[in-house]
Amino acid sequence: MNMKLRSCLLLLCLAGCEMLGIRSDGSGEIRIAFTEEYDALTRSVNEIPDTSEFRISITDPKGKVVYDGLYGDCPESMQVGSGSYNIKVVSAEFEKPAFSMPQYGDEQCVVVPDGGAVDVSLVCRQMNSGVRLNIGKEFLTECPGGVLFLKSDQGKLMYGYSEKRIAYFLPGQVSLVLSTGGKDETLMTRTLLAQEILSLKVNVASSGGSGTMDKSGRISVAVDTVRNWISDSYVIGGSNDKGTLATDAMTVHQARSAYGSKDVWVCGYIVGGDLTSSSASFDGPFDSRSNLLLGPKSSTSDKDACLSMQLPAGELRERLNLVDNPDMLGRKIYVRGDIVEAYYGIPGIKNVSDFQLP
């Protein structure tokens, strides 16, 4: 899953045995890290599902499922044999037209060499397309008994005259159909690509429309270029302004490489505490009230994937320490402070001045 769009990034790091000086046995290790915060992947919506709710499936060369489940439940490392693997991540299943149902994800084929290593990046984009209608008042007067439908090979949706939502479709041809007295008339057909959100103005020709007209010359359908867009995808970390606001907080992954940043917001999950220079505890009961460990997801159990956090004396320590607040383990949190290169052996955040719990 967390979220707003300028992007979403899934990093898959496959560590090979040869690089560790170990004899190859025909297998490798898949280690998965998925950034928990990203900006909107399309301007069509303001909310993106929490990346922990994304579904990941990994299949081997014979089609056998290596993993299929929620990202939040996915183990951080998996031993696999050499060969090709299909990796797919989606925010939700999408098979037929639906309102307010953008789908995000990516799908790639990767090859794990015998005893080798490969780094793969899956960039999550909007995978489906959408249409929104702007129906003119004259059209309502001219066609009081007409019903508008948006139709694709997978099905159709009735578009009410007062409807404001975006109708989503699989990429391909989408038609605008007017049904009057049981007779269907196709007004316009357009091929849409993934990420494309098309806005159409529908009106009667007498109102001065300059778009495509039906055979009778009554109805005009024009592309609203002001409201039409195709979203772009961005790589997380591409902006130097991340962290200025809690709503644009850095991820743990971003913060680990942003040391020197002052008074910035970071979002992560409280996954442990009791830090030392070489270890950390991921299970209670805990002994230290002065530090925490922030992970990129609630199931993280690798210290080197986390951000250490200093808890200054006062209300913040009283509210967040795991000794007195064991229920905070696994909670998502936004914190504001300074990113340092090392705190208890890993990148950390100190001088924490504020926090928010979603």
Side-chain angles (χ1 to χ4, degrees):
M1 52 193 157
N2 3 82
M3 310 179 191
K4 305 181 299 238
L5 194 139
R6 235 181 268 175
S7 51
C8 147
L9 184 63
L10 172 63
L11 297 177
L12 293 173
C13 179
L14 293 83
C17 296
E18 261 184 31
M19 297 187 72
L20 300 177
I22 302 175
R23 183 176 61 84
S24 170
D25 60 358
S27 66
E29 180 185 8
I30 297 180
R31 290 171 31 187
I32 301 175
F34 194 174
T35 58
E36 289 295 334
E37 295 288 333
Y38 49 88
D39 293 328
L41 301 175
T42 173
R43 284 167 282 175
S44 64
V45 292
N46 294 321
E47 295 294 330
I48 305 298
D50 190 315
T51 53
S52 64
E53 299 299 320
F54 276 50
R55 193 166 194 90
I56 293 179
S57 64
I58 303 175
T59 54
D60 70 8
K62 297 181 179 180
K64 180 180 178 181
V65 176
V66 176
Y67 179 81
D68 183 18
L70 297 180
Y71 171 74
D73 298 331
C74 181
E76 295 198 4
S77 64
M78 286 177 279
Q79 293 292 328
V80 297
S82 59
S84 62
Y85 290 84
N86 190 69
I87 303 171
K88 183 178 181 180
V89 55
V90 294
S91 59
E93 295 300 325
F94 185 89
E95 297 179 351
K96 61 182 181 180
F99 284 106
S100 303
M101 191 65 180
Q103 182 196 48
Y104 306 103
D106 195 12
E107 184 172 11
Q108 290 187 24
C109 181
V110 300
V111 178
V112 182
D114 184 5
V118 60
D119 294 327
V120 180
S121 296
L122 291 175
V123 180
C124 294
R125 304 178 177 90
Q126 182 182 312
M127 301 177 75
N128 52 8
S129 56
V131 179
R132 179 167 52 193
L133 300 184
N134 178 9
I135 304 171
K137 293 180 180 180
E138 292 84 356
F139 178 86
L140 304 181
T141 303
E142 182 74 17
C143 305
V147 179
L148 290 172
F149 290 90
L150 289 168
K151 181 180 179 181
S152 72
D153 290 340
Q154 291 74 40
K156 65 180 182 179
L157 293 173
M158 183 178 75
Y159 207 100
Y161 291 167
S162 61
E163 182 64 72
K164 301 298 183 183
R165 295 174 297 174
I166 295 174
Y168 286 91
F169 298 84
L170 291 174
Q173 287 194 338
V174 177
S175 297
L176 175 61
V177 178
L178 173 64
S179 180
T180 307
K183 182 181 179 181
D184 291 347
E185 179 182 0
T186 299
L187 304 179
M188 180 181 187
T189 298
R190 179 76 174 258
T191 299
L192 299 181
L193 305 176
Q195 300 179 264
E196 186 172 11
I197 306 296
L198 181 69
S199 288
L200 295 175
K201 294 179 178 179
V202 183
N203 220 327
V204 294
S206 59
S207 66
S210 58
T212 302
M213 297 183 187
D214 72 342
K215 295 178 181 179
S216 68
R218 293 179 302 131
I219 300 172
S220 171
V221 182
V223 175
D224 184 349
T225 56
V226 175
R227 295 181 179 177
N228 182 50
W229 62 81
I230 298 177
S231 65
D232 295 320
S233 60
Y234 303 84
V235 175
I236 282 297
S239 172
N240 293 325
D241 298 327
K242 293 288 290 184
T244 304
L245 303 172
T247 53
D248 194 32
M250 291 184 185
T251 65
V252 168
H253 176 76
Q254 291 172 320
R256 283 177 55 85
S257 59
Y259 52 85
S261 299
K262 302 288 186 181
D263 197 33
V264 293
W265 285 93
V266 177
C267 179
Y269 291 81
I270 299 175
V271 297
D274 292 351
L275 297 172
T276 70
S277 59
S278 59
S279 67
S281 295
F282 292 89
D283 299 302
F286 295 91
D287 298 320
S288 176
R289 293 180 171 85
S290 64
N291 58 71
L292 292 176
L293 198 62
L294 297 184
K297 60 181 181 178
S298 60
S299 61
T300 300
S301 58
D302 180 3
K303 180 185 176 185
D304 289 334
C306 296
L307 189 74
S308 56
M309 174 178 164
Q310 182 188 57
L311 291 178
E315 181 184 0
L316 191 142
R317 178 182 293 184
E318 294 173 2
R319 292 277 304 278
L320 300 181
N321 83 82
L322 291 174
V323 178
D324 302 315
N325 307 281
D327 59 318
M328 292 300 297
L329 187 65
R331 288 288 303 274
K332 181 180 178 181
I333 188 172
Y334 295 82
V335 295
R336 183 178 185 177
D338 301 335
I339 308 300
V340 297
E341 184 174 4
Y343 177 59
Y344 283 114
I346 59 174
I349 182 167
K350 302 178 71 173
N351 303 319
V352 178
S353 59
D354 197 3
F355 76 96
Q356 293 181 17
L357 295 173

